[in-house]
Amino acid sequence: MKQLLTTILVLLSYLTFAQTPEPTFAEKLGYPKGKKVLIIHVDDVGMSYESNQGAIKAIREGVANSLSVMMPCGWVPGFVNYWKENKDIDAGLHLTLTSEWKDYRWGPLAGKSNVKGLVDSQGAMWRSVGDVVKNASPDEVEAEIRAQLDRARTMGLEPTHLDSHMGTLFATPEFLQRYLKVGMQEKIPVMFPGGHNTVVQQQEKVIGDQLAMTRMVGKQLWDAGLPVLDDLENSSYGWKGPENGDKSEKALQKYKTEKYINAIKNIKPGLTMVIMHCTIHSEIFPHISDSHITREGDFLAMIDPELKKYIEKEGIILTTWREAMERRAKVK
């Protein structure tokens, strides 16, 4: 989501001003006024066995309630096979245009010859968002989005929503427009914070006309018949662990749980998606990614009874993209 501010600035030349939406999108969907309504969302499913198990357990044993799948990755069949027996799980697509790790990589589903601008010298997707912006065209980006959606549907998975791995689809107005276009055409909700954006303003320093543009996009999505987020909490990947260096399971869980509670306290009423990455512990995953500590911490926080207790005590409503879309379909 680091690309969001730049995208919004350039979008000023594409979109027109919109007034602050009132009431919140959560209220429009029929949720009670003044309530925090959260989609607690796990990214990067399908990337590895550990990612699959972390996400599944975070939902089955914890407070997480939604996830999204990286369709180009090797453990997608493992998750989809589980999902076919557990279709109550809210599963979207984590649209993937980068392959960032050193030794574990993947390529585009559209085929190298069809999306040459998305492929590096190893035949994999580029490692960084900047390289995608430099080399890929909007047409190639859209082709790959559609190829990933096609694979999901071929496997029998109709996604509840779409979102963006590493925020790549927010990197340019043209990429964003293709992302929104596919969602609206296919009637699939897309992750886009189009409401009051209280947390987004703090994290991305979005102000004034920039904020108005996010609200204009939110109105476009709503008018297309899709539910819209009021806000987005996306800071958990930066929570690396206790400052004293204690990486024990107990210390990591306590640290991450406190971080989530403080983040949720800062969220204002409305529909907010809280993003995280959950993995179970293994000897293998550290060889995939150096992010294993923060991912294991996310998982431990999700299954922490203290976090569940806090959510229940505060009367916070947990929902899913599926439920949000069902509610949107009933709104005239």
Side-chain angles (χ1 to χ4, degrees):
M1 299 304 295
K2 294 297 185 183
Q3 306 297 327
L4 181 58
L5 178 56
T6 301
T7 299
I8 293 168
L9 287 170
V10 184
L11 271 173
L12 291 171
S13 63
Y14 290 81
L15 304 172
T16 56
F17 183 82
Q19 296 295 325
T20 302
E22 291 291 346
T24 66
F25 286 114
E27 291 172 58
K28 289 183 179 182
L29 290 172
Y31 294 104
K33 183 177 181 179
K35 284 288 188 177
K36 298 179 183 182
V37 184
L38 303 185
I39 299 173
I40 302 182
H41 188 272
V42 185
D43 286 359
D44 292 4
V45 177
M47 190 177 81
S48 69
Y49 173 79
E50 296 88 347
S51 300
N52 288 357
Q53 291 300 305
I56 291 167
K57 289 177 181 292
I59 290 174
R60 292 303 189 211
E61 301 174 17
V63 297
N65 57 4
S66 184
L67 55 79
S68 58
V69 186
M70 299 173 71
M71 294 309 297
C73 294
W75 271 90
V76 167
F79 173 75
V80 174
N81 289 336
Y82 174 85
W83 176 85
K84 286 181 177 180
E85 302 297 324
N86 298 271
K87 291 186 177 181
D88 60 304
I89 288 185
D90 197 61
L93 300 189
H94 198 48
L95 297 170
T96 303
L97 299 174
T98 52
S99 179
E100 63 271 32
W101 310 119
K102 180 182 178 182
D103 297 326
Y104 173 55
R105 312 204 64 206
W106 48 83
L109 295 183
K112 178 181 177 181
S113 61
N114 296 319
V115 289
K116 294 179 180 179
L118 285 174
V119 180
D120 69 6
S121 61
Q122 291 188 346
M125 291 176 168
W126 296 102
R127 295 182 191 276
S128 74
V129 174
D131 282 331
V132 179
V133 171
K134 181 179 177 181
N135 293 283
S137 70
D139 284 346
E140 290 172 319
V141 166
E142 183 176 340
E144 181 59 22
I145 291 173
R146 293 188 181 278
Q148 293 181 24
L149 176 57
D150 179 71
R151 187 190 186 195
R153 287 172 167 169
T154 298
M155 299 179 78
L157 173 63
E158 182 62 33
T160 57
H161 62 286
L162 306 175
D163 58 58
S164 176
H165 182 55
M166 294 179 66
T168 311
L169 290 167
F170 290 81
T172 74
E174 295 81 9
F175 288 4
L176 180 61
Q177 287 173 339
R178 300 306 179 97
Y179 167 63
L180 299 174
K181 170 187 171 183
V182 173
M184 289 187 285
Q185 284 184 347
E186 299 293 331
K187 299 299 181 184
I188 304 173
V190 298
M191 181 198 72
F192 185 90
H196 57 70
N197 278 345
T198 303
V199 175
V200 170
Q201 290 179 70
Q202 296 170 356
Q203 294 179 355
E204 305 287 343
K205 310 303 180 186
V206 176
I207 58 173
D209 288 344
Q210 302 159 13
L211 180 60
M213 293 310 101
T214 66
R215 291 173 176 167
M216 183 61 200
V217 173
K219 183 177 185 302
Q220 289 178 324
L221 293 170
W222 182 265
D223 290 345
L226 301 178
V228 181
L229 296 173
D230 288 297
D231 209 347
L232 185 68
E233 164 52 60
N234 186 40
S235 56
S236 66
Y237 203 70
W239 304 337
K240 302 300 184 183
E243 292 183 4
N244 65 5
D246 185 352
K247 300 298 172 59
S248 67
E249 184 174 298
K250 183 178 179 180
L252 188 56
Q253 184 177 55
K254 182 175 185 293
Y255 166 82
K256 277 280 189 164
T257 296
E258 289 176 352
K259 286 286 190 180
Y260 277 109
I261 289 174
N262 288 332
I264 293 170
K265 284 179 180 178
N266 193 42
I267 291 172
K268 301 302 181 186
L271 178 60
T272 300
M273 181 169 168
V274 180
I275 297 175
M276 69 202 60
H277 308 77
C278 295
T279 67
I280 60 169
H281 177 78
S282 81
E283 295 181 2
I284 299 299
F285 194 81
H287 296 284
I288 293 176
S289 166
D290 60 4
S291 63
H292 57 285
I293 296 297
T294 190
R295 292 171 184 262
E296 290 172 19
D298 282 347
F299 166 65
L300 293 170
M302 290 305 102
I303 63 172
D304 191 340
E306 291 302 314
L307 181 56
K308 182 178 181 180
K309 186 185 303 182
Y310 171 78
I311 289 171
E312 292 176 345
K313 178 174 68 74
E314 294 298 315
I316 293 167
I317 297 171
L318 301 184
T319 192
T320 62
W321 280 106
R322 180 187 286 114
E323 181 184 347
M325 186 60 177
E326 289 171 352
R327 285 173 173 262
R328 178 66 186 92
K330 296 176 183 177
V331 179
K332 302 297 184 181

